[in-house]
Amino acid sequence: MSYGRYGSSVGRLPREAFRPSAIFLGLLALLAVSGWMAWADYGDARFNVFLFVAAGWTISLCLHEYSHALVAFKGGDDDIAHRGYLTLNPLKYSHPLLSIVLPLVFVLIGGIGLPGGAVWVNHGAIRSRFVDSLISFAGPAMNLVLAILLVLPFTFGLDSGEHQTFFAALAFLAFLQLTASVLNFVPMPGVDGGNLLYPWLSPQWQRGFNHVAPWGMLILIALLWSPRINGWFFSVVYWIGDLIGLPSYQAAVGYELFRFWDR
């Protein structure tokens, strides 16, 4: 999440400021249709998984940023609604390339849920430091909640029969939510975990934080190229996955199916 300074607007907010966008509704429709195709083994199973995971991952990016925006709005920043952040429109969250395209590319090449774009918050309007931290916490917490919800079918043994293509896709999508949550909670300047700590830092530390923050995500991505750090990262992801009951072998199958071009 990026930090900005804006003045507050006065006046009644139109309903359109809170209405889900047509793009988000279209993504939900794509998720439902591709999910049914994967469930019914209709057409190309690998392409069905690709559509299902891509749509589901993009939806989760919207929900991640929406969580930031909703807490900020409730915490005192009325301009959040005027900027369209409560419409679940992925094109409203920072730059579309950084918000949507880049995270999708990382899923394609590495199976990692890279955090998406930023919600610009007027931190001067936020009521307290606790709420300011809660804004940063809300996004990765949403990814973790989504991961738990996606794992529920496995917890209740619903994957023990047919429709294995669908459940593999579901497992991989849950895995992406876990990677996104762990990445976002890293206490790095410019990442949600670092932004969560920012309100409690001294002014001197905040100045240093602001110098590093624009490069924080790039530094984090570079660190993940280190085999040792990459191993630690995935060890944490798999450990949490085991705790919530995510079958890692099905997530691996889902990733292989997702890469429909790599036959």
Side-chain angles (χ1 to χ4, degrees):
M1 180 186 299
S2 298
Y3 289 86
R5 294 292 180 264
Y6 297 88
S8 294
S9 298
V10 179
R12 185 186 176 117
L13 292 167
R15 291 182 179 178
E16 289 75 15
F18 305 93
R19 187 174 297 160
S21 69
I23 295 176
F24 183 77
L25 295 177
L27 287 169
L28 287 177
L30 178 59
L31 181 72
V33 171
S34 58
W36 172 82
M37 293 170 68
W39 178 274
D41 285 322
Y42 179 84
D44 189 310
R46 297 170 70 94
F47 189 62
N48 294 341
V49 170
F50 171 80
L51 289 178
F52 179 80
V53 173
W57 174 237
T58 307
I59 288 170
S60 74
L61 290 174
C62 296
L63 291 173
H64 175 109
E65 301 303 339
Y66 176 82
S67 299
H68 287 313
L70 183 62
V71 176
F73 177 72
K74 295 293 186 181
D77 184 4
D78 293 340
D79 278 346
I80 284 286
H82 288 289
R83 292 192 290 276
Y85 292 153
L86 298 177
T87 63
L88 291 160
N89 185 345
L91 300 182
K92 294 292 184 179
Y93 301 125
S94 187
H95 194 286
L97 176 64
L98 300 178
S99 304
I100 304 299
V101 177
L102 189 60
L104 282 174
V105 168
F106 265 78
V107 171
L108 293 174
I109 65 175
I112 296 177
L114 186 71
V119 168
W120 290 86
V121 176
N122 175 12
H123 292 270
I126 303 303
R127 297 189 180 96
S128 69
R129 288 191 293 177
F130 174 77
V131 175
D132 212 351
S133 290
L134 193 59
I135 294 169
S136 298
F137 175 82
M142 171 59 74
N143 288 115
L144 186 57
V145 168
L146 290 173
I148 293 171
L149 291 175
L150 291 169
V151 165
L152 286 179
F154 304 100
T155 303
F156 291 106
L158 301 180
D159 62 316
S160 59
E162 301 177 349
H163 316 295
Q164 290 304 302
T165 298
F166 173 81
F167 286 112
L170 202 67
F172 179 50
L173 185 56
F175 179 79
L176 289 178
Q177 302 307 317
L178 283 184
T179 61
S181 184
V182 173
L183 272 176
N184 274 281
F185 275 130
V186 172
M188 171 76 71
V191 181
D192 287 328
N195 294 339
L196 190 155
L197 301 174
Y198 181 87
W200 308 95
L201 300 177
S202 67
Q204 180 179 358
W205 279 90
Q206 286 183 346
R207 285 193 293 272
F209 184 104
N210 290 333
H211 285 303
V212 178
W215 313 102
M217 182 54 66
L218 292 177
I219 294 171
L220 188 56
I221 293 171
L223 289 174
L224 284 175
W225 287 105
S226 164
R228 177 170 295 183
I229 295 176
N230 187 277
W232 290 340
F233 169 75
F234 279 106
S235 294
V236 173
V237 171
Y238 284 122
W239 177 72
I240 297 174
D242 289 340
L243 283 180
I244 67 174
L246 173 63
S248 57
Y249 71 93
Q250 284 187 282
V253 172
Y255 178 55
E256 291 302 318
L257 290 172
F258 174 78
R259 294 171 59 86
F260 72 95
W261 61 92
D262 186 16
R263 296 179 183 271

